[in-house]
Amino acid sequence: MKEEYYNVIGVMSGTSLDGVDLAHIEFSTINTIWKFKIKETATIPYNKLWLERLKIAVNFSTKALEELNQEYTILLANIINNFIEKNAIVNLDAVCSHGHTILHQPHEGITLQIGNLPDIASLTRQKVVCDFRVQDVQLGGQGAPLVPIGDQLLFSEYDYCMNLGGFSNISFNNNDERIAFDIAPVNTVLNFYANKLGLDYDDKGQIAKEGTINQELLAELNDLDFYRKSFPKSLGFEFVKETVLPIIETYKITIKDKLNTFTEHIAQQTAAALPLKKGSLLITGGGAYNQYLISRINNLLPDLKIIIPAKGILEFKEALIFALLGVLRLKNEINILKSVTGASKNHSSGTIYDF
């Protein structure tokens, strides 16, 4: 079989609002075996104005969202152009971009990722593959998580793959089928309370570690309906804004105690999500740096080997996998699994824009 090569950039903006992740990836594939090399990477943080706009965009009117989408597409194109120029990247097959999720209500048939307008191709002068979630929702799926196909093709040596970002999600093989689902909010909540202390985030979970668990709050959080649902299931920021934060705010306890309690909640839901409490667990995403959270997960899953990879994979795994999703779409091969999202069929999703 002839070996195929692809030279692409993966672009991802997560719900934790850390910024835009970019990863220049070289893929090769032969006989359905995929290999990858992560080359240049960057995370471009949002300025204060963009950060505030993205935080409140869930409340925007339709017209305001349209304007935001246009302006964000320009912002994203500029970020991509600067990354290409700075690293002297040439001969790209495509830029594969997730965009930034503003609305995610699959039960209503709604999911909106801004930054995926056709202009992005002309502004970057690159072929762009983007908007991966919409088709899945139209096919009755959750539109999330989308990373599991990458876990299956690129990280099959691990029993479980979990990402700790704005939300946590996990994927694993179950009876020869890939299963995946969102577990719980993570940095969307932890960063919210760190922000109240004037911090971007709780470094290594040190503030949470100083707090005390409020057992009543922990029990109320663990009792939320979402955790009793079977997969496929996914979460959006609406769940945090409308359900989680209002519950936490009814408790007149310190921020340290709120952080500690919610960290324990994440750990307990993680342990509950794994059908077998042994094997190997690959953890990526910004939450992997939260040493206190990792220690609590480890404490509840003592027979599980936790692997935290090198920085390239740890911080840029989602950008890497959206790069893969884009390549699969160019090949018109399946990049979304119905066993994961609940869609009516496996499919090849994403819009391709030529400049």
Side-chain angles (χ1 to χ4, degrees):
M1 290 285 289
K2 181 183 175 184
E3 191 165 7
E4 297 178 11
Y5 295 90
Y6 297 91
N7 181 35
V8 295
I9 292 173
V11 185
M12 174 69 190
S13 172
T15 46
S16 52
L17 293 170
D18 297 334
V20 178
D21 290 338
L22 305 102
H24 178 203
I25 312 291
E26 288 183 352
F27 287 111
S28 63
T29 177
I30 183 168
N31 293 338
T32 72
I33 303 300
W34 286 84
K35 295 181 180 178
F36 66 89
K37 182 178 180 182
I38 299 176
K39 303 195 77 178
E40 302 85 11
T41 59
T43 297
I44 309 302
Y46 295 112
N47 64 31
K48 189 174 181 181
L49 179 62
W50 269 107
L51 202 55
E52 291 307 313
R53 290 181 77 188
L54 293 174
K55 279 181 181 178
I56 63 173
V58 67
N59 302 312
F60 282 10
S61 66
T62 301
K63 183 180 179 184
L65 278 177
E66 288 172 356
E67 292 173 358
L68 182 74
N69 198 353
Q70 290 169 348
E71 292 173 29
Y72 186 81
T73 299
I74 295 168
L75 173 74
L76 202 53
N78 287 335
I79 288 172
I80 293 166
N81 287 339
N82 290 339
F83 180 73
I84 291 170
E85 183 179 350
K86 179 181 178 181
N87 296 293
I89 301 170
V90 295
N91 300 322
L92 282 169
D93 292 301
V95 172
C96 312
S97 179
H98 170 270
H100 182 82
T101 298
I102 297 296
L103 302 172
H104 186 66
Q105 302 164 12
H107 55 286
E108 302 286 347
I110 297 169
T111 187
L112 172 64
Q113 286 69 48
I114 60 173
N116 291 328
L117 296 176
D119 299 354
I120 195 161
S122 56
L123 289 167
T124 58
R125 298 197 59 76
Q126 301 290 339
K127 179 177 286 188
V128 176
V129 190
C130 61
D131 228 5
F132 296 99
R133 299 187 190 272
V134 172
Q135 179 175 291
D136 190 72
V137 171
Q138 290 171 345
L139 289 170
Q142 290 282 308
L146 300 190
V147 166
I149 186 76
D151 292 339
Q152 180 171 288
L153 295 176
L154 304 180
F155 299 101
S156 60
E157 67 266 37
Y158 302 104
D159 294 300
Y160 300 99
C161 292
M162 182 169 70
N163 191 74
L164 293 173
F167 300 89
S168 56
N169 56 65
I170 195 156
S171 84
F172 52 92
N173 278 352
N174 184 36
N175 297 326
D176 295 322
E177 246 188 353
R178 197 74 187 181
I179 299 300
F181 49 90
D182 285 351
I183 299 175
V186 180
N187 291 333
T188 43
V189 174
L190 299 180
N191 290 356
F192 175 84
Y193 286 106
N195 293 167
K196 285 184 172 292
L197 297 173
L199 303 169
D200 290 334
Y201 57 93
D202 178 10
D203 187 28
K204 299 183 178 66
Q206 291 172 328
I207 300 170
K209 188 176 181 179
E210 294 174 0
T212 302
I213 295 173
N214 183 292
Q215 295 293 343
E216 187 181 351
L217 171 57
L218 179 62
E220 188 171 353
L221 290 168
N222 284 335
D223 197 44
L224 288 170
D225 287 343
F226 177 82
Y227 302 120
R228 286 192 288 271
K229 291 179 180 176
S230 60
F231 54 82
K233 57 181 180 177
S234 63
L235 291 166
F237 187 68
E238 297 93 327
F239 177 71
V240 171
K241 176 176 172 285
E242 296 167 10
T243 303
V244 176
L245 293 179
I247 289 173
I248 298 173
E249 288 300 281
T250 62
Y251 288 79
K252 305 306 178 188
I253 58 177
T254 66
I255 289 178
K256 286 182 181 180
D257 290 353
K258 289 176 180 178
L259 285 167
N260 187 294
T261 303
F262 201 80
T263 298
E264 187 66 19
H265 170 65
I266 297 164
Q268 290 189 10
Q269 290 304 324
T270 300
L274 275 57
L276 296 175
K277 315 302 181 186
K278 58 185 180 180
S280 57
L281 170 66
L282 177 71
I283 299 182
T284 56
Y289 288 116
N290 187 324
Q291 293 176 0
Y292 181 61
L293 172 57
I294 300 302
S295 74
R296 294 308 306 149
I297 293 171
N298 204 22
N299 182 69
L300 294 172
L301 296 164
D303 296 326
L304 194 74
K305 183 180 180 183
I306 292 177
I307 297 100
I308 296 177
K311 180 180 176 181
I313 294 174
L314 192 160
E315 295 186 2
F316 296 96
K317 178 169 171 266
E318 287 197 305
L320 161 68
I321 291 182
F322 277 101
L324 176 66
L325 261 66
V327 171
L328 291 170
R329 178 69 184 92
L330 291 174
K331 291 163 63 68
N332 203 30
E333 293 183 1
I334 290 167
N335 62 4
I336 298 186
L337 303 170
K338 66 178 183 179
S339 63
V340 168
T341 68
S344 57
K345 62 180 180 179
N346 293 331
H347 54 105
S348 186
S349 184
T351 301
I352 302 172
Y353 295 128
D354 276 305
F355 64 95

